[in-house]
Amino acid sequence: MASNIDLTTELKQKLTTNQAWHYKIVPKSERNGITAFYYCEGISDKYELENELLVLLGIEVELYAETEGWVVTQLNRFYPRIEQSTEENNAQELNLKSNSDFLSQIIEEAARIKSSDIHLEAFEERCRIRFRIDGKLVERYIVTKHDYPALINKIKIKANLDISEKRLPQDGRIIFSEGDHKFDIRVSVLPTLYGEKTVMRLLNRDATQIDLNLLGFNKRQLKNYSEGVLKPNGIVLISGPTGSGKTTTLYATLKQLNKEETNILTIEDPIEYTLDGINQVQLKESIGLDFASAMRTFLRQDPDIIMLGEIRDTETARMAVRAALTGHLVLSTIHTNSAWSTVTRLVDMGIPSYLVASTLNLSVAQRLIRKLCPSCKKEVDLDPDLYPESFTAPEFIKSHYLPVGCDQCFYTGYKGRQALYEIIPIDRNLKEHIRHESFEVKDYLNEKNIQELSDIAFFLVKEGLTSLDEVYPILSS
């Protein structure tokens, strides 16, 4: 029996997922115009299968026998079948030559496998399409240089962009509605050396399934967080890099705070979810509608709660503080590395320390990590030299788990993601530290048992929920 194989994207595209599973075949190689496939020995008539593939694919084929178990393993690796409804259209694979609606097929496939972004990129010899799945980019398709401009133009037309402008970046939006799929897509087009790179971000419009209790808070963190957001005024800030789930946490919070007697206003870029009962505003900096100007208008709209998509500059930070001082609860995000560094960032932005101390209720840092697949993870001895040099393990761990890959996780070794939180409630003692700009508070936070992101990441490795490689950047920060 052969060992696991590696397939190029070009070879993989010889078959759709449905064809590969229907005939239980896997591409092997292509040479001199002949494409070789592995097939299941004993369950298929070789010569009948060769003739059928010749008619179906229009290419010369050669077949090589392998055991059914081995073929199914490779099918799960390269042609994963996603759970779908019984009414689903079977033609879900990209086929530029035979299907004029290939753009919808790309989008529908991305939605089915819960991809957050679709990347279309042009290079000297080829063009490719990649999907971001669980935070990682995966190459899905190769597009010819001839077909690529037509694909980009179709996207630009749907996003109401200028197809004749190929020298400047453009941004647009597509409202995608087909069958059961209905969501917004943010489109960004960037001119590059060999063509226009396009990124489509799929925005889930339904926030009804988001639950604060299911995001990843431990019991104590959830209590601290809930107390911070239930105060009638003040600022709650969530920090973290792009793609760390900050917006999802904010929407889960708004969902919990959304009451008939409460006026909630948001200014966002983009609006990623919609919630009935909340007044949501889309940022439009090109016409002067930025975070700061929206905040000025919000304060005349009799709000109880204001959600800012991001505090990017000093003016927006000042407006947030002003809103908190005048009796409003402000929720927002900010780019810092830890929960406590959010405090120093506000001071560095020019906000007086006494105002930061008076208004900040809660500072949160957040990350997303992939969870190991429970069906195939492998336990091995842990070499302490694998830790980052700057990290000191709080306790000794004899073993840890490695990702392996199986048909349950499509041979990635990971299945699903989990948020990690570092939450600092700003109590009286911390307010005094902030007021006097005494920012060395690590000993006090340890005394209060405030867990850092690295502590929680280490605990997840210890429990076997994730791998050391996955949390390495968190441990080293």
Side-chain angles (χ1 to χ4, degrees):
M1 184 173 69
S3 58
N4 282 342
I5 59 173
D6 290 321
L7 282 186
T8 65
T9 305
E10 290 89 344
L11 265 180
K12 190 167 65 173
Q13 284 184 199
K14 295 292 182 181
L15 299 171
T16 69
T17 297
N18 293 323
Q19 290 168 347
W21 280 96
H22 177 76
Y23 293 105
K24 286 194 175 177
I25 56 175
V26 179
K28 179 179 183 292
S29 62
E30 184 178 32
R31 184 178 299 173
N32 299 326
I34 300 175
T35 304
F37 296 90
Y38 293 108
Y39 78 104
C40 295
E41 183 180 25
I43 66 169
S44 301
D45 184 306
K46 179 178 180 180
Y47 299 104
E48 182 180 338
L49 181 57
E50 277 184 350
N51 291 331
E52 196 163 340
L53 291 176
L54 176 64
V55 174
L56 177 70
L57 304 177
I59 56 177
E60 293 290 332
V61 301
E62 286 183 353
L63 296 179
Y64 293 83
E66 276 294 345
T67 65
E68 183 179 6
W70 183 88
V71 171
V72 169
T73 295
Q74 307 313 311
L75 286 172
N76 278 314
R77 292 179 64 213
F78 299 111
Y79 298 96
R81 292 185 294 188
I82 310 300
E83 292 182 6
Q84 303 162 13
S85 66
T86 56
E87 298 178 358
E88 177 194 20
N89 179 2
N90 288 328
Q92 293 296 333
E93 293 300 314
L94 175 65
N95 189 332
L96 296 177
K97 295 179 180 178
S98 63
N99 194 321
S100 61
D101 200 21
F102 49 79
L103 176 58
S104 294
Q105 294 186 15
I106 295 170
I107 295 172
E108 285 185 354
E109 182 183 359
R112 281 192 293 111
I113 63 177
K114 294 179 170 53
S115 169
S116 60
D117 301 86
I118 305 170
H119 289 240
L120 300 95
E121 301 161 307
F123 301 99
E124 184 176 10
E125 300 294 336
R126 63 169 195 157
C127 305
R128 69 180 179 184
I129 298 173
R130 295 189 292 172
F131 291 172
R132 189 174 292 280
I133 304 169
D134 282 344
K136 303 294 182 182
L137 283 169
V138 177
E139 188 175 278
R140 298 291 289 183
Y141 298 109
I142 296 297
V143 181
T144 67
K145 293 286 288 185
H146 177 265
D147 289 325
Y148 187 78
L151 177 58
I152 298 301
N153 281 342
K154 187 163 188 177
I155 294 171
K156 291 167 79 171
I157 290 170
K158 286 183 175 291
N160 293 316
L161 300 179
D162 184 359
I163 62 172
S164 65
E165 179 57 76
K166 302 182 185 300
R167 302 166 300 168
L168 296 173
Q170 297 187 72
D171 294 302
R173 191 173 189 143
I174 297 173
I175 299 176
F176 185 82
S177 180
E178 192 161 322
D180 294 333
H181 299 295
K182 187 175 183 180
F183 46 83
D184 292 346
I185 302 171
R186 185 175 64 177
V187 178
S188 174
V189 180
L190 176 70
T192 65
L193 181 61
Y194 295 109
E196 293 176 288
K197 173 179 170 60
T198 301
V199 176
M200 297 189 289
R201 168 155 288 188
L202 280 60
L203 306 175
N204 186 356
R205 302 177 68 181
D206 182 16
T208 58
Q209 303 301 317
I210 301 175
D211 190 338
L212 202 59
N213 297 294
L214 303 177
L215 293 183
F217 293 109
N218 63 37
K219 189 175 181 180
R220 184 184 178 193
Q221 287 177 334
L222 183 60
K223 182 177 185 294
N224 287 336
Y225 186 81
S226 298
E227 288 177 357
V229 300
L230 288 174
K231 292 181 179 180
N233 59 278
I235 302 175
V236 173
L237 289 179
I238 302 177
S239 67
T242 301
S244 59
K246 302 186 299 295
T247 303
T248 300
T249 301
L250 283 178
Y251 274 103
T253 307
L254 291 178
K255 181 184 173 186
Q256 181 170 301
L257 299 175
N258 189 15
K259 311 292 182 184
E260 183 180 346
E261 64 272 14
T262 304
N263 180 22
I264 301 177
L265 300 173
T266 77
I267 173 70
E268 308 167 59
D269 182 31
I271 297 174
E272 295 195 23
Y273 301 90
T274 56
L275 277 171
D276 187 48
I278 292 178
N279 304 283
Q280 298 173 263
V281 178
Q282 169 67 49
L283 189 78
K284 295 180 182 177
E285 290 183 323
S286 61
I287 60 173
L289 180 57
D290 55 17
F291 286 123
S293 63
M295 281 291 291
R296 293 190 197 96
T297 304
F298 280 6
L299 293 177
R300 297 191 291 270
Q301 287 283 320
D302 186 31
D304 297 295
I305 299 170
I306 297 171
M307 193 268 269
L308 284 167
E310 183 183 347
I311 292 181
R312 296 177 179 173
D313 51 47
T314 300
E315 187 178 7
T316 306
R318 286 174 178 165
M319 292 302 302
V321 169
R322 177 183 168 189
L325 287 171
T326 53
H328 306 91
L329 179 66
V330 180
L331 310 175
S332 190
T333 68
I334 193 168
H335 284 288
T336 59
N337 291 327
S338 67
W340 183 247
S341 61
T342 293
V343 174
T344 56
R345 175 67 190 281
L346 290 173
V347 174
D348 290 342
M349 291 174 77
I351 308 301
S353 57
Y354 69 91
L355 288 181
V356 176
S358 300
T359 56
L360 190 61
N361 293 350
L362 196 70
S363 182
V364 180
Q366 178 172 348
R367 299 290 188 276
L368 272 182
I369 56 101
R370 293 181 295 169
K371 296 189 293 184
L372 285 166
C373 174
S375 300
C376 64
K377 63 183 182 180
K378 177 184 178 182
E379 187 174 10
V380 298
D381 291 338
L382 175 59
D383 181 354
D385 290 338
L386 294 175
Y387 293 128
E389 189 173 338
S390 60
F391 177 74
T392 301
E395 61 181 271
F396 174 74
I397 298 180
K398 181 180 179 181
S399 63
H400 68 131
Y401 288 86
L402 298 178
V404 177
C406 66
D407 56 356
Q408 296 296 311
C409 61
F410 304 135
Y411 291 86
T412 64
Y414 296 93
K415 193 172 184 180
R417 292 195 288 176
Q418 177 169 329
L420 309 184
Y421 292 96
E422 176 185 327
I423 297 181
I424 301 179
I426 308 301
D427 59 18
R428 290 183 180 181
N429 287 323
L430 288 177
K431 287 181 184 293
E432 285 301 312
H433 278 283
I434 297 170
R435 190 173 284 112
H436 295 98
E437 298 190 15
S438 174
F439 297 130
E440 293 298 324
V441 296
K442 188 167 185 177
D443 290 340
Y444 179 75
L445 295 180
N446 288 337
E447 182 183 324
K448 298 289 289 185
N449 293 319
I450 301 297
Q451 291 181 301
E452 297 182 355
L453 286 170
S454 57
D455 296 329
I456 299 168
F458 177 82
F459 174 78
L460 293 180
V461 172
K462 176 186 174 183
E463 294 296 307
L465 295 176
T466 191
S467 68
L468 187 57
D469 284 345
E470 184 69 11
V471 300
Y472 192 94
I474 301 175
L475 299 181
S476 62
S477 61

